[in-house]
Amino acid sequence: MAMSPKREPIWADARLRGFVLQALFLAAVVALLAMFALNAAENLRALNRASGFGFLDQVAGFDIAFHLIDYGRASTFLDALWVGLLNTLLVAVIGIVLATVLGFLLGIGQLSSNWLVAKLATAYIEFVRNVPLLLQIFFWYFSMMSPLPRPQSAIEIGGVAFLSNRGLFVPRIEGVEGSGLFLIVLAACVSAFFLLRRLSHKRRERTGTPLPMLPISLGLLAIVPAAAFFLTGVPFTADIPVLAGRNFTGGMAITPELIALVLALSLYTASYIGEIVRSGIEGVPKGQAEASAALGLSRGQRLRLVIIPQAMRIIIPPLTSQYLNLTKNSSLAAAIAFPDLVHVFAGTALNQTGQAIEILAITMIIYLAISLLTSLAMNVYNARIQLKER
Amino acid sequence: MRFVLSVFLGALALAVVASPASAQSGSATLDAVKARGYLMCGVSDGLAGFSNPDAQGNWSGLDVDFCRAIAAAIFDDPNAVRFTPSTAKERFTALQSGEFDLLSRNTTWTMQRDIALGFTFAGIIYYDGQGFIVRGAEGTTSALQLNGATVCTQSGTTTELNIADYFTANNMTYELLTFEKEAEALQAYDEGRCDAYTTDQSGLYAARLEMRNADEHIILPEIISKEPLGPLVRQGDDRWADIVRWVLFAQINAEELGVTSANVGEMTGSSNPEIRRLLGVEGEFGASMGLTNDWAVRIIRHMGNYGEMFERNVGEGSILKIARGINALWSKGGLQYAPPVR
C-alpha cells in the first residue's frame, strides 16, 4: 500500500498553536480588564459619582505637617501626591541603609566566635522578628514621647540643636554666593581622588609599588577643599532653630513620627537581613575560609576579600525582597501620623475627593514602579557580582 | 492596611458586582431590609454618646438609637439591627459598596459628600461644630492663641480642611498631625506631642473622658466650623431616604407635641389632630411609605422622642452632660425643626 504524502493540519504546528493560544489568552485578559473599567465607569455614572483624573489639579485644602517640597493648603492634590511620594521614598532610603548596615552586623555577629556576641545577635533576631511591626512602631513612637521634654525645656545640644517632644531641631545649612564654586571644586577633588586610587591599584598589580596615596588623599580631600572653602569666603550659613512661642522655628525638624517609623522599620527588617547574611556566609564552602587562612590572610581580610564577595551572590536575591518589604511596610506610617504616600494620598486625598478607584490605581501603580525599579537596580548589581566565568 | 484592603475591595465591588441602581417601584432597600429581617447600620468605631460598644458588645449612643428607631418603625423591634463599625476613612466606601443600608455615624453633611460622593443626607440629628481641647495649665483661653501650635486629629474627616481654613484666615501657623485612628491621636495629645486636639465639639466632651486626667483639659469656646451631623444613604433610592428622613422628623415632631415613650399609649386617644396624624390614628401616612400606620407609635414606644434620645445619650442623663444648646427645639430657641405630618 502506497502512502500518499499528507499535508499536516494547521493545528499540528506546535509553534503556531502556541502563538494563537497565547494571543487568545492575552485578548481575553485585555477584554476582561476593559469590561471592569467600562463597568466601573458605568456604575459610577449611575451612582452620580464624580470620576476621572481632573481632581488632581484642584486645590487640596489640607495641610501636611512634614513636607520636603513647598506645600500649603492652596496646593493641589497632585502636589499632595508628590509630598507623600517623597516622604515614602525618604523613609524607604534611610530605612534600607540602616537596615542593611545593622543586618550585616547581626549576620556576621551570629557567626562570631565570641559566645556573648553570637547569642546576643541571635536573641535580637528571634525577638524582633516575632513581634508584629505595627506594635513595634507604636512602641518606639509612644515610648520616646514620655521622656522627651516640652519645647520650652528642650534638651540643648551645643546650642544649635534642640531635642523635645516636637522632634529634633537641627541647623539647616544654606549655601550663599560662592557655594556653587566651592561644591564644584569639592566634586572635582573627590572624583580625582577616586581616579587616582584606581590608578594606584592598577599600578600596584602591575609593578608592585602603589602611588603615594597618603599625601594625595591629604591634599585632595583636606587641603584643597579647605583652601577653596576660605577662598570662596565661607559660602555657607546655618539657619539655627530658635524657640518662638509654642515651638521652634527655623532650622530643620526631624519629627518623632519620622524617627519612630525609620527606627521600627530598620530594626525590624535588619533582623531578617541578619538571617539572610548568616545563611549566605554559611553557604560559602568551608574550604574557601580554610584556604584563605592557609594563605595567611587575617580574619578581617578573609571575611572582606574571600567570604563576603562569594556570600553576596547568595544574599542579594532575598535581600532585594527585604528592601521591597521595607518600602511597602512604610505604609504603616498612617498609624503614627507620618504623612507617607498611603496616608496623604490614599487616605486624606481619597477621603476629600471620594474617588477611590482612581486614587488607589495611582497609588498601586506607584508602589509597583518603586518595587520594580528597586528590583531592577538590585538585579543589575547581582549580575555584576556573579561568578565571572572566563 | 485594613483600610486599604477594604477600600480596595469596595472599589473592586463597584467595578465588578454592583449593577446600576435600578428604579423599582417602592424602595429596593426597604424590600431588601424586610426580606433580610434586620437593618444593617454603619456606625463609628467607638465614640461615647454617639455609637459606643460596651464590654459585652452592646451598642449605645444617639446614632445607634436612631438606627434602632428605624428598625422599630419597620419591624416593631428595635433590636433588629446589625451594627457595623467603620473608621472615618472607611465609612463612605463602605456605604457606597453596600455594606450597610444607612450610615449613622456622626457624619458632617457637606456639599461634596452630598453631590460628588453620591449620597443623600436624610436630616440633621445633631448640630455640631469643630472645637479644640487644650491643657488648661498652659494658660490658653482662646483658639486665637494657638499660633505655632501642634494639633492632633484623626484623618479622614472635615476637620483637616476646617483647621487649614481657620489658621489661614487668622494668619496663624500650625502643624497638624493626622492619625489613622482616634485612639492614637488622643494618646499622642495626652502624651504631650500636641498642644491641642481637635474634632467636633461633641467629640471633645467624649475625648476628655479618655484622658489620664480629665480635669486638666479645657474645651476652648471657639467653634470654627459648621458640622451638621446626620444619617445618610446611597443616592438613587429616594423612597428609602424618605423613610430615614421621616423617622427623624417623627421623633422631633413627637417632642414638640409632648409625645413621649411613657405617654404614647394614651396619646393615641388624644383629640389633637396633629398627634392623631403622627400616631397613625388618622390618615395613611405610614402605609404611604411602605410601613404600617402605627410606625411613629413603634418608634416612640421603643426609643422615645428626639429629646428623650438626646438626654439619654449625650445630655444630662449621660456621662457627657452636653447642654441642648442649638439642638433644642425651634420653639425653645434651638434649631431642631421638623415639617408637619399632614
Side-chain angles (χ1 to χ4, degrees):
Chain A
M1 225 158 69
M3 296 277 283
S4 59
K6 217 166 76 185
R7 273 184 62 133
E8 293 242 319
I10 194 161
W11 57 83
D13 183 348
R15 265 188 56 211
L16 183 69
R17 200 175 53 211
F19 180 78
V20 170
L21 284 178
Q22 295 274 4
L24 280 178
F25 183 68
L26 184 68
V29 169
V30 170
L32 194 67
L33 289 178
M35 198 191 82
F36 279 6
L38 285 176
N39 201 4
E42 166 91 356
N43 285 333
L44 289 175
R45 247 198 316 281
L47 290 169
N48 294 319
R49 282 179 51 197
S51 61
F53 292 92
F55 72 91
L56 285 172
D57 297 325
Q58 288 167 14
V59 169
F62 56 88
D63 283 291
I64 303 175
F66 187 88
H67 45 90
L68 297 173
I69 52 173
D70 249 359
Y71 182 88
R73 75 162 288 285
S75 303
T76 64
F77 283 110
L78 188 63
D79 296 328
L81 171 62
W82 276 112
V83 169
L85 175 57
L86 287 176
N87 285 348
T88 290
L89 290 177
L90 178 76
V91 169
V93 170
I94 304 176
I96 283 174
V97 171
L98 291 181
T100 308
V101 172
L102 183 61
F104 270 77
L105 291 178
L106 282 170
I108 296 169
Q110 276 197 93
L111 298 171
S112 167
S113 52
N114 182 327
W115 185 86
L116 189 63
V117 170
K119 289 298 170 240
L120 275 178
T122 309
Y124 172 89
I125 288 173
E126 289 308 326
F127 181 75
V128 173
R129 271 205 310 182
N130 291 306
V131 175
L133 177 57
L134 185 59
L135 273 183
Q136 295 191 32
I137 292 177
F138 282 140
F139 171 78
W140 290 113
Y141 185 55
F142 286 115
S143 68
M144 81 169 71
M145 209 65 85
S146 334
L148 286 177
R150 303 170 58 217
Q152 288 73 16
S153 41
I155 302 164
E156 205 178 301
I157 305 162
V160 290
F162 301 90
L163 183 65
S164 71
N165 60 15
R166 296 289 181 274
L168 176 64
F169 284 79
V170 294
R172 191 174 55 228
I173 308 295
E174 282 166 349
V176 292
E177 178 138 18
S179 64
L181 185 64
F182 168 74
L183 288 178
I184 291 170
V185 172
L186 186 68
C189 284
V190 171
S191 17
F193 168 75
F194 279 109
L195 203 68
L196 284 171
R197 200 175 68 162
R198 238 183 128 150
L199 281 178
S200 159
H201 258 291
K202 287 220 166 115
R203 197 173 123 156
R204 195 185 59 194
E205 282 175 8
R206 214 175 49 241
T207 66
T209 40
L211 291 173
M213 279 313 281
L214 189 69
I216 289 178
S217 35
L218 206 63
L220 280 178
L221 295 182
I223 298 171
V224 179
F229 185 69
F230 289 109
L231 283 178
T232 50
V234 192
F236 291 96
T237 57
D239 179 17
I240 293 172
V242 284
L243 184 66
R246 295 174 177 275
N247 205 347
F248 288 91
T249 55
M252 203 165 62
I254 304 167
T255 63
E257 292 77 32
L258 177 64
I259 298 172
L261 186 65
V262 167
L263 205 60
L265 281 174
S266 44
L267 291 178
Y268 178 77
T269 313
S271 65
Y272 285 88
I273 295 179
E275 278 294 90
I276 291 170
V277 170
R278 180 192 57 78
S279 62
I281 292 175
E282 290 193 327
V284 176
K286 237 184 155 66
Q288 295 284 328
E290 289 165 358
S292 51
L295 282 174
L297 297 184
S298 74
R299 224 189 117 68
Q301 281 176 323
R302 254 182 282 163
L303 207 56
R304 195 161 48 83
L305 298 172
V306 179
I307 309 293
I308 296 275
Q310 299 187 70
M312 285 308 275
R313 297 178 192 130
I314 309 171
I315 291 172
I316 294 293
L319 186 65
T320 309
S321 53
Q322 287 310 320
Y323 287 176
L324 301 187
N325 276 347
L326 189 146
T327 310
K328 288 180 286 186
N329 284 341
S330 71
S331 62
L332 289 169
I336 54 163
F338 181 76
D340 80 318
L341 177 63
V342 169
H343 190 28
V344 168
F345 195 62
T348 303
L350 192 162
N351 216 268
Q352 304 305 345
T353 62
Q355 296 189 253
I357 295 180
E358 293 87 346
I359 287 187
L360 286 179
I362 293 175
T363 313
M364 287 196 283
I365 288 170
I366 288 176
Y367 271 99
L368 187 66
I370 296 175
S371 291
L372 290 180
L373 286 175
T374 312
S375 297
L376 182 72
M378 293 299 281
N379 285 346
V380 168
Y381 180 56
N382 196 24
R384 270 189 49 191
I385 59 159
Q386 279 308 312
L387 204 59
K388 301 281 187 300
E389 293 179 355
R390 298 189 176 98
Chain B
M1 283 325 282
R2 206 184 106 226
F3 159 69
V4 173
L5 188 70
S6 72
V7 170
F8 175 71
L9 289 179
L12 200 67
L14 272 174
V16 186
V17 184
S19 58
S22 54
Q24 287 176 12
S25 63
S27 164
T29 313
L30 179 62
D31 294 342
V33 171
K34 281 181 173 170
R36 196 191 302 131
Y38 59 87
L39 179 75
M40 295 197 298
C41 186
V43 294
S44 82
D45 47 354
L47 176 62
F50 288 84
S51 42
N52 208 19
D54 65 13
Q56 281 77 45
N58 302 314
W59 288 87
S60 64
L62 190 64
D63 288 336
V64 165
D65 277 1
F66 181 67
C67 292
R68 292 207 175 104
I70 296 174
I74 300 173
F75 299 109
D76 199 15
D77 175 10
N79 295 317
V81 193
R82 198 158 291 178
F83 295 106
T84 309
S86 64
T87 68
K89 274 163 96 180
E90 294 164 353
R91 56 185 159 176
F92 298 121
T93 318
L95 178 62
Q96 274 157 355
S97 54
E99 276 187 45
F100 20 79
D101 303 310
L102 81 152
L103 181 67
S104 178
R105 191 205 178 283
N106 52 294
T107 298
T108 305
W109 185 349
T110 68
M111 185 165 174
Q112 196 256 359
R113 289 170 178 176
D114 203 343
I115 294 168
L117 294 193
F119 295 129
T120 297
F121 280 83
I124 297 168
I125 198 167
Y126 188 98
Y127 288 90
D128 209 342
Q130 186 176 338
F132 297 93
I133 189 168
V134 296
R135 275 171 282 274
E138 287 168 13
T140 313
T141 53
S142 157
L144 292 168
Q145 298 168 327
L146 286 176
N147 191 17
T150 307
V151 183
C152 283
T153 192
Q154 188 193 3
S155 69
T157 68
T158 42
T159 54
E160 287 166 85
L161 304 185
N162 295 332
I163 193 169
D165 288 354
Y166 182 75
F167 278 82
T168 308
N170 290 294
N171 261 326
M172 299 193 295
T173 62
Y174 75 109
E175 232 173 74
L176 186 66
L177 290 182
T178 46
F179 291 79
E180 191 174 22
K181 297 241 168 82
E182 190 186 24
E184 276 85 45
L186 279 177
Q187 194 183 348
Y189 164 73
D190 211 10
E191 294 280 0
R193 174 69 181 96
C194 294
D195 298 300
Y197 174 79
T198 183
T199 190
D200 294 347
Q201 223 176 26
S202 61
L204 292 178
Y205 283 92
R208 182 155 66 176
L209 299 173
E210 309 272 314
M211 307 289 178
R212 269 183 302 217
N213 205 340
D215 302 337
E216 283 177 5
H217 304 272
I218 56 164
I219 293 168
L220 296 180
E222 284 86 354
I223 300 267
I224 66 166
S225 68
K226 289 194 286 188
E227 307 286 341
L229 310 181
L232 57 154
V233 297
R234 284 180 295 278
Q235 214 169 58
D237 191 346
D238 294 350
R239 305 268 299 178
W240 176 244
D242 284 342
I243 291 170
V244 176
R245 178 175 301 125
W246 279 94
V247 168
L248 179 60
F249 286 162
Q251 290 188 289
I252 296 171
N253 276 326
E255 185 184 7
E256 194 179 335
L257 296 169
V259 183
T260 65
S261 54
N263 68 11
V264 65
E266 57 201 77
M267 277 294 191
T268 49
S270 163
S271 58
N272 182 337
E274 281 188 82
I275 295 177
R276 290 171 72 81
R277 280 195 298 272
L278 174 69
L279 300 183
V281 185
E282 282 176 21
E284 292 283 315
F285 294 103
S288 67
M289 288 193 294
L291 303 174
T292 56
N293 280 332
D294 68 342
W295 63 290
V297 177
R298 293 173 167 190
I299 297 170
I300 293 154
R301 190 171 59 223
H302 291 296
M303 302 316 300
N305 62 32
Y306 177 80
E308 288 177 82
M309 217 163 65
F310 188 100
E311 293 305 334
R312 180 170 68 231
N313 290 305
V314 295
E316 285 305 319
S318 73
I319 46 170
L320 299 180
K321 309 219 180 309
I322 302 176
R324 272 301 278 275
I326 53 173
N327 285 295
L329 290 179
W330 65 284
S331 51
K332 294 183 180 151
L335 291 173
Q336 286 295 359
Y337 182 101
V341 178
R342 68 158 58 251

